[in-house]
Amino acid sequence: MLVRYETPADIEAIQNVTSAAFKPMPYSEGTEAEIIRKLRLSGDLAISLVAEEDGEILGHVAFSPVTINGVHVGWFGLGPISVTPERQRQGIGRALMAKGLALLKAMGASGCALIGNPEVYSGAGFSSDGQLTYHDLNTRFVQRIVFRGAAPSGTLRFAPAFED
Ligand SMILES: CC(C)(COP(=O)(O)OP(=O)(O)OC[C@H]1O[C@@H](n2cnc3c(N)ncnc32)[C@H](O)[C@@H]1OP(=O)(O)O)[C@@H](O)C(=O)NCCC(=O)NCCS
């Protein structure tokens, strides 16, 4: 399996994998594929990676700039991330996260944040110290990994594509 940057030829497969992965999820509003499309259009798709095997796209992850207390301080958000349902829990998500985080770090990013299930992301190094908030969500689900500088505190906001 290869994890690589998206190309224009992958766009439809990314939409399909994303829709299929999120469809059964009770917390999904079914907007994730559209969010990726909007990120791409607005120039906020900082990193977009696909997992490919034998020419088939099995997974995808997006990274985009975030603000903390209204300021972009070199932090990025992870998500949406998806793996095709029949290939979940085989390490593909972990490989996508690892490559994306390594690329962010190499770019000089200060850190990466996300909203999600700690069971899925702790193995990749994410954790919550309760200092980063997202609306009134339990901060257990607001996780981050610090690459450099102090751990951030404040209100996390994702790119406009997540809010339209
Ligand atoms: C979330 C998702 C991207 C993870 O990808 P994956 O290839 O299935 O995950 P991996 O096999 O690489 O496992 C990564 C970690 O997540 C854990 N994990 C994966 N699916 C999980 C689940 N449903 N519940 C709890 N933990 C889970 C694994 O145990 C592993 O933990 P570890 O690193 O501590 O060993 C994938 O399951 C998916 O597409 N889910 C549907 C869409 C979704 O919910 N996206 C995330 C929204 S927050």
Side-chain angles (χ1 to χ4, degrees), residues 17-18 20-25 27-28 32 58-60 78-85 87-97 114-125:
V17 164
T18 304
F22 278 96
K23 200 170 177 192
M25 297 300 149
Y27 48 79
S28 168
E32 294 81 7
L58 301 177
H60 173 261
L78 185 159
I81 180 168
S82 49
V83 170
T84 199
R87 295 296 301 271
Q88 289 175 6
R89 306 206 79 153
Q90 296 174 22
I92 297 173
R94 176 65 94 79
L96 285 163
M97 292 179 222
L114 61 82
I115 306 298
N117 176 357
E119 282 176 41
V120 174
Y121 301 101
S122 60

Side-chain angles (χ1 to χ4, degrees), residues 1-3 8 19 29 36 43 48-51 70-71 75-77 85 89 96 119 121 134 147 151-152 154 161-162:
M1 189 198 57
L2 172 72
V3 175
S19 300
E29 291 175 14
I36 298 166
S48 178
L49 301 175
V50 294
V71 187
W75 276 70
F76 289 82
R89 306 206 79 153
L96 285 163
E119 282 176 41
Y121 301 101
Y134 183 74
F147 297 142
F162 286 84

